[in-house]
Amino acid sequence: VQLAESGGGLVQAGGSLRLSCAASGLTFGNYAMGWFRQAPGKEREFVVAISRNGDSTGYADSVKGRFSISRDNAKNTVYLQMNSLKPEDTAVYYCAAALSSTWYKLARIYNYWGRGTQVTVSS
């Protein structure tokens, strides 16, 4: 199983980025997908997740109204659209897959993880 994140980079505060996570080696439609992030010196935290068929999503309070998750099961890909970025959004962003119909906030539920992509927001 491979989860490959892409789309990270350096952006100014107020800007936007779109992350992608391409999955291979698993039946993508059987998995709920999540995005987590980890800033230097901090624990990994939940950002957003989506159910396996895309009909349910969940967001951390810190990103509600700014971030949006979506998935394309035909392309085995999940996306994270990040708008109105803030310096505190700076972190390594990880994609994760959970063999479940619904989404979860708990990292330990997720079966597979990507290697992460760096997002840096300058002030």
Side-chain angles (χ1 to χ4, degrees):
V1 174
Q2 266 199 322
L3 301 178
E5 301 97 336
S6 61
L10 173 64
V11 64
Q12 287 189 332
S16 298
L17 282 175
R18 189 193 196 203
L19 305 184
S20 298
C21 172
S24 59
L26 65 130
T27 304
F28 187 69
N30 288 346
Y31 287 78
M33 300 297 295
W35 288 94
F36 292 75
R37 67 186 181 186
Q38 188 167 18
K42 295 188 176 182
E43 293 187 354
R44 190 172 299 190
E45 65 174 359
F46 169 79
V47 178
V48 62
I50 188 167
S51 61
R52 66 182 181 186
N53 63 8
D55 64 348
S56 177
T57 57
Y59 293 83
D61 288 344
S62 59
V63 305
K64 279 182 182 176
R66 299 189 298 122
F67 290 13
S68 177
I69 188 171
S70 61
R71 65 188 295 160
D72 185 338
N73 285 358
K75 295 184 178 179
N76 288 1
T77 302
V78 62
Y79 305 97
L80 178 59
Q81 178 67 44
M82 304 186 295
N83 299 326
S84 303
L85 282 160
K86 304 175 181 180
E88 50 263 45
D89 294 318
T90 295
V92 177
Y93 282 72
Y94 297 90
C95 170
L99 185 59
S100 170
S101 59
T102 189
W103 56 269
Y104 293 94
K105 291 184 177 182
L106 292 175
R108 61 179 173 84
I109 299 295
Y110 289 80
N111 306 98
Y112 303 107
W113 292 81
R115 293 187 175 185
T117 185
Q118 177 69 47
V119 171
T120 303
V121 185
S122 63
S123 56

